[in-house]
Amino acid sequence: MKVSLRTLKYIGFSLVLMFADILHNGNLNLIYLFGIFIIFRFLIKKRYFYHVEIRYLIPFLSIVLMFIIFTDQPFSTIKMFVYFGKLFINIALLLFFQYNFSKKNIREGMKFILATLSLLLTLALIFHNNNIFWRLNDPFNSFSKTRLQLLFSEPSVLGLFVGTLLIFSFYSFLEFGIDRLCMIGVVVPLICLVLSFSLSAMVYTAIVILYLVAKKILKVIPTKKLNERILVLIILILMMMFFIMITENPVRNRVLAILNGTDGSFNFRWNAATQSLFSILEKTNYLGLGFGNMNTEYGRSILESVGMSDIFANSFLYFIAEAGILGVFYIVFIINYCIKNIRKNKYLGQDDCTELKQGLLIYVFISQIAGGYFTDPFIWCLYGIICAKNLKRSGLKI
């Protein structure tokens, strides 16, 4: 059977996504290799590549320059160079998806991704005591000791990935109804998400899905019935939350632990991190530890001096701790770039997937508050999709 080059590309990228984190090292994420490939294969020939790269890199280099000139803190030149390289690749990924995502057949891509995910899930269910597919006796989650992680570095990373698939599938369901592939796109990722017991991924996936449902309701109903439908929507959300809280389940137990202040993971990811961040900024004259410097002997000594036992498990706070107060402006710069592109494409009439893009932006933003790391290439692929031009709904039917 003859296989076209286009099909091979879909299969290749699907495998890259599914096996991206198999080496369990952020610097060796396979999506970085894909980014290097597209730099030399596609983007290096495009004029816009240099314009946007410069637009993103100048603020970053300004932060580095300010750190070097106005601080006498020790830093690793190699780590800073590696950080710069990862950011350069991530910008290339953003550009690739921004200018090429609309030209891809999403249905074909989802077929290969869901087929691979279904195969791995089946193997995981058969070999349910295997530490390759499962995290056994999880030391961090006291409510669910056995958690699905497949070939990802940890269950929360799997949760982020399958949550994205759920958002695309649910959007397709709302706009076009359900067919066999769309049903698989909802059921298989949902099973993976539940078995991962990643509360953070469940929460921000649910938030985006509720947002998409609300936007759909507000779009299709007559204006005169708007207040009544909004009231019904609010009641349904409250009923769902009430049902979750009155039944015995790991999600309820962990939510209660967070509210009571006894959840160690939440306390470490947010409470301890936010308190320590201000101390770190004061100690470094608000210039930060320097890119790549937190996970060094010097960086860890600063963390220990402010009461942190380990590096931050929070993308934005981690970035600000290393970049200093200027890191806040860089985060705002990136988010604003995404918002401007959403508005621009909608204003020009080039886009009728505004709700999906808005939902993905909410997803990316919340997920980086909950955890992850700033240079995660998967996140930057999502940034590119959010900024994509001519992303018509018909191309998103799965």
Side-chain angles (χ1 to χ4, degrees):
M1 183 178 67
K2 186 177 180 181
V3 181
S4 67
L5 180 61
R6 181 180 178 182
T7 301
L8 288 175
K9 289 179 180 179
Y10 283 126
I11 294 174
F13 185 65
S14 301
L15 293 176
V16 165
L17 286 177
M18 292 303 304
F19 293 91
D21 207 31
I22 194 171
L23 298 176
H24 294 186
N25 186 313
N27 292 334
L28 300 178
N29 192 300
L30 297 186
I31 302 180
Y32 284 133
L33 296 180
F34 177 76
I36 293 173
F37 169 76
I38 63 174
I39 287 173
F40 289 100
R41 178 66 178 84
F42 299 105
L43 299 182
I44 204 168
K45 302 176 182 178
K46 307 293 185 180
R47 182 177 299 175
Y48 63 75
F49 173 65
Y50 303 102
H51 291 168
V52 181
E53 280 281 5
I54 291 173
R55 188 187 307 167
Y56 270 93
L57 291 177
I58 284 180
F60 175 81
L61 292 175
S62 300
I63 295 174
V64 173
L65 189 62
M66 292 282 288
F67 175 83
I68 294 174
I69 293 176
F70 294 102
T71 183
D72 57 355
Q73 297 180 70
F75 65 92
S76 171
T77 304
I78 294 177
K79 284 183 175 291
M80 196 169 286
F81 181 79
V82 169
Y83 202 103
F84 174 83
K86 290 194 293 185
L87 186 62
F88 185 85
I89 295 172
N90 283 336
I91 295 170
L93 289 168
L94 184 153
L95 288 172
F96 177 78
F97 282 92
Q98 180 177 358
Y99 288 94
N100 295 277
F101 189 75
S102 58
K103 301 175 183 176
K104 302 299 178 183
N105 189 320
I106 308 305
R107 189 176 181 87
E108 291 299 314
M110 288 291 285
K111 280 182 181 179
F112 295 116
I113 293 173
L114 291 173
T116 307
L117 184 64
S118 300
L119 174 61
L120 292 176
L121 177 61
T122 302
L123 291 174
L125 293 175
I126 294 173
F127 303 102
H128 59 276
N129 289 322
N130 191 300
N131 60 7
I132 295 177
F133 297 115
W134 298 84
R135 173 176 282 187
L136 307 176
N137 299 317
D138 192 332
F140 305 106
N141 192 327
S142 58
F143 304 104
S144 306
K145 305 302 290 184
T146 301
R147 304 172 64 191
L148 183 69
Q149 69 179 32
L150 298 182
L151 300 177
F152 293 85
S153 59
E154 57 178 277
S156 60
V157 179
L158 170 63
L160 174 68
F161 177 73
V162 296
T164 306
L165 298 181
L166 261 176
I167 290 171
F168 273 98
S169 300
F170 201 84
Y171 178 79
S172 178
F173 162 69
L174 290 177
E175 295 296 333
F176 307 104
I178 197 161
D179 59 11
R180 185 172 62 179
L181 183 61
C182 184
M183 184 180 298
I184 296 173
V186 171
V187 173
V188 174
L190 182 60
I191 293 174
C192 292
L193 182 59
V194 171
L195 293 179
S196 73
F197 288 103
S198 174
L199 178 63
S200 56
M202 292 179 187
V203 169
Y204 45 75
T205 301
I207 288 174
V208 175
I209 287 176
L210 287 173
Y211 176 80
L212 293 177
V213 171
K215 293 288 285 189
K216 181 68 175 178
I217 291 175
L218 298 178
K219 182 187 289 187
V220 300
I221 61 175
T223 304
K224 62 181 180 180
K225 296 182 179 180
L226 186 61
N227 293 333
E228 291 87 343
R229 296 298 177 90
I230 292 176
L231 179 61
V232 171
L233 182 64
I234 293 174
I235 292 174
L236 289 175
I237 293 173
L238 292 175
M239 288 178 62
M240 182 180 67
M241 294 173 62
F242 178 74
F243 175 77
I244 292 174
M245 295 306 293
I246 64 172
T247 57
E248 184 66 27
N249 60 79
V251 174
R252 167 190 176 273
N253 294 337
R254 193 167 181 195
V255 169
L256 290 176
I258 291 174
L259 295 176
N260 293 329
T262 58
D263 183 77
S265 177
F266 179 81
N267 290 338
F268 174 73
R269 287 174 180 270
W270 183 252
N271 293 341
T274 50
Q275 293 173 9
S276 301
L277 176 63
F278 292 106
S279 299
I280 290 173
L281 291 176
E282 289 179 4
K283 281 179 174 290
T284 60
N285 295 320
Y286 295 92
L287 293 174
L289 295 168
F291 290 111
N293 214 25
M294 183 180 291
N295 197 19
T296 61
E297 184 177 345
Y298 169 75
R300 286 183 175 274
S301 68
I302 295 292
L303 290 174
E304 291 175 2
S305 70
V306 298
M308 283 290 288
S309 60
D310 204 351
I311 59 177
F312 287 5
N314 180 305
S315 175
F316 287 147
L317 297 187
Y318 191 117
F319 181 75
I320 295 169
E322 289 194 332
I325 196 67
L326 293 178
V328 177
F329 297 101
Y330 195 75
I331 292 171
V332 172
F333 170 72
I334 293 172
I335 300 299
N336 184 59
Y337 181 79
C338 292
I339 293 174
K340 285 176 61 176
N341 275 279
I342 293 174
R343 290 177 175 175
K344 178 181 178 182
N345 292 331
K346 181 180 180 180
Y347 176 76
L348 295 176
Q350 297 175 333
D351 202 346
D352 54 4
C353 293
T354 303
E355 294 82 7
L356 175 64
K357 290 183 175 184
Q358 292 170 342
L360 287 175
L361 183 57
I362 294 171
Y363 186 74
V364 168
F365 186 81
I366 298 177
S367 69
Q368 292 195 84
I369 293 176
Y373 57 103
F374 189 74
T375 54
D376 183 350
F378 181 68
I379 293 293
W380 287 76
C381 292
L382 294 182
Y383 281 141
I385 295 172
I386 292 167
C387 297
K389 298 181 177 181
N390 299 311
L391 191 60
K392 298 298 184 182
R393 285 184 300 175
S394 58
L396 290 173
K397 183 177 181 180
I398 67 168

